[in-house]
Amino acid sequence: DVANAYKEGLNPEKINTRLRSVIVNAVGDDEYARGNWGSAGVLIPDAMINRILSLTPEADFLTPRMTSIPMATPSISIPARVDKNHSTSVTGGTRVYRTSETRTADKTKDAFELVKLEATEIVGEAAATNMLMRYSPISIPALIESSMRLAAVDKRIDELINGQGNGTPLGFLNAANLSLISVDRTTGQADTTIVSGRDIVRMTQRVWGYDNAIWIANHDMYEILSLVCHESPNNAGIVKMFSPLTEGAGPTLWGRPIFFTEYAPGITSGQDGSQISEWSSGMLSCVNMSQYLHGQLYTEFNRSVHVRFSEREEVFQFVTSDDARPWWKTYLTPKKGVTTRSPFVTLTNTDVSG
């Protein structure tokens, strides 16, 4: 009974009447004090710091690696040579000949095409009351602008990887990217072997400009890739293909940087990823983003007190206009051999054998 009385004494609304005089006398009854609940304790207000705790979203690791195209109008066309078939010409048509002194050479010419960027807008709006603007210890305009810029980065990264290309950027993993090479898993792998060292080697073989490429995978893939090794056929040695994060350097896979992102395909919802059938195709990709064009038209952050004047609110609007897509319209066919290559290579969840 005594213990419960003291425990209840910690709550001023439930304080035991037998303890009230004891506590008040211990504190004193001739001064203002927090310990005297009926006196000045209620005068101590809660405080709030003028910043907000928040999660930092993923940084945009793609845009800095893309080729930037200046845009002054909503639509721009970039001439490009049709030079992806090297079976007869590396320039899209021009050929040269070794001839005798008086023999003439055939006339040849290159073929050209246009790569078109058409900027569309990403728009965000928010409203805040005048009273909130006046009394909030946190800058509401700065908060809104920061949130909208982060939301725009979120949308852009998703579109650069998965975008449909119709009114949005064309994502390099989208089926409409005709230069995308999909590499099937190595024949004979167990269904529990999600990615093997040989899969990675076969993907590397297909990447155009591997010395400028990066690997991209969902966070679901981290543990699997951290254990991947490449074993020589005669068991002469095993090479670990993944290198973890070190001070001053990010993780690498087979000598190139790898980025783990929530925007890449991963394990199918509701599954644990123990079988390859529980993974989405595209769970591992290797891309050379220098062959991906990005045109930025403008970015604006505007505010108006007139839109909702009667409601005594201020409206904020964030607008950015851009477009992005691969400039390759097919993969590269070599002069000799059968290995086609592309700046955009991804791994499927099916075996070579089908």
Side-chain angles (χ1 to χ4, degrees):
D1 182 56
V2 174
N4 288 333
Y6 273 101
K7 182 178 179 181
E8 291 178 352
L10 298 176
N11 187 335
E13 297 179 355
K14 295 182 179 181
I15 186 169
N16 190 292
T17 55
R18 290 176 294 172
L19 290 179
R20 180 179 293 277
S21 60
V22 176
I23 295 175
V24 171
N25 289 337
V27 173
D29 59 3
D30 62 350
E31 73 274 344
Y32 293 106
R34 185 183 183 190
N36 191 335
W37 299 289
S39 182
V42 297
L43 300 179
I44 301 177
D46 288 335
M48 185 177 75
I49 61 175
N50 60 348
R51 65 185 179 91
I52 297 177
L53 299 178
S54 61
L55 175 69
T56 302
E58 287 186 13
D60 182 358
F61 61 93
L62 295 173
T63 301
R65 291 176 165 82
M66 298 187 296
T67 296
S68 178
I69 302 296
M71 294 188 74
T73 59
S75 178
I76 186 172
S77 295
I78 305 103
R81 281 194 317 204
V82 183
D83 54 4
K84 304 304 183 292
N85 189 337
H86 288 182
S87 59
T88 57
S89 173
V90 296
T91 68
T94 296
R95 301 178 64 182
V96 295
Y97 303 87
R98 192 176 295 279
T99 69
S100 59
E101 183 176 358
T102 59
R103 186 176 178 181
T104 61
D106 292 340
K107 306 300 186 290
T108 59
K109 62 180 180 180
D110 292 339
F112 297 89
E113 61 186 356
L114 291 176
V115 179
K116 194 170 187 178
L117 296 180
E118 294 184 278
T120 54
E121 292 182 335
I122 293 176
V123 182
E125 288 190 354
T129 64
N130 293 341
M131 183 172 290
L132 177 64
M133 300 276 287
R134 178 177 293 115
Y135 294 111
S136 172
I138 297 173
S139 172
I140 300 302
L143 172 65
I144 292 174
E145 180 176 6
S146 174
S147 295
M148 286 188 174
R149 288 184 180 275
L150 290 175
V153 170
D154 164 75
K155 188 168 188 62
R156 178 176 290 150
I157 295 176
D158 189 27
E159 290 177 339
L160 295 178
I161 297 176
N162 306 299
Q164 299 294 317
N166 184 14
T168 71
L170 174 58
F172 54 77
L173 287 188
N174 192 279
N177 174 18
L178 300 182
S179 66
L180 177 66
I181 290 180
S182 297
V183 174
D184 293 330
R185 296 169 68 246
T186 303
T187 302
Q189 284 182 183
D191 288 344
T192 55
T193 302
I194 309 304
V195 177
S196 69
R198 191 173 176 189
D199 289 335
I200 293 173
V201 171
R202 292 173 55 245
M203 290 179 68
T204 302
Q205 181 183 19
R206 306 294 296 277
V207 178
W208 184 92
Y210 185 71
D211 58 345
N212 199 34
I214 59 173
W215 293 89
I216 297 174
N218 191 281
H219 296 278
D220 295 343
M221 186 65 68
Y222 188 93
E223 181 181 3
I224 294 170
L225 293 179
S226 70
L227 301 174
V228 170
C229 297
H230 181 51
E231 184 175 353
S232 61
N234 59 359
N235 296 319
I238 296 177
V239 178
K240 189 164 185 176
M241 306 183 82
F242 180 83
S243 177
L245 173 71
T246 58
E247 187 174 354
T252 61
L253 181 67
W254 209 223
R256 294 304 304 164
I258 181 168
F259 292 88
F260 293 94
T261 174
E262 61 183 298
Y263 302 97
I267 297 174
T268 305
S269 178
Q271 304 297 325
D272 62 9
S274 59
Q275 302 283 327
I276 187 59
S277 60
E278 298 174 355
W279 289 78
S280 301
S281 288
M283 65 279 199
L284 178 63
S285 301
C286 190
V287 297
N288 178 353
M289 293 304 291
S290 69
Q291 304 304 298
Y292 194 94
L293 307 182
H294 177 245
Q296 181 73 49
L297 187 57
Y298 56 80
T299 298
E300 299 175 347
F301 183 70
N302 301 309
R303 50 197 293 185
S304 172
V305 297
H306 305 293
V307 177
R308 291 190 177 180
F309 179 78
S310 297
E311 291 83 357
R312 299 175 300 288
E313 294 179 358
E314 188 165 349
V315 175
F316 301 86
Q317 184 184 75
F318 173 85
V319 183
T320 183
S321 181
D322 69 341
D323 192 21
R325 62 195 56 245
W327 78 266
W328 287 45
K329 296 185 178 181
T330 187
Y331 44 77
L332 177 67
T333 299
K335 187 176 186 66
K336 298 182 183 299
V338 297
T339 303
T340 55
R341 292 183 297 152
S342 169
F344 312 103
V345 177
T346 192
L347 185 66
T348 73
N349 61 357
T350 57
D351 294 346
V352 173
S353 58

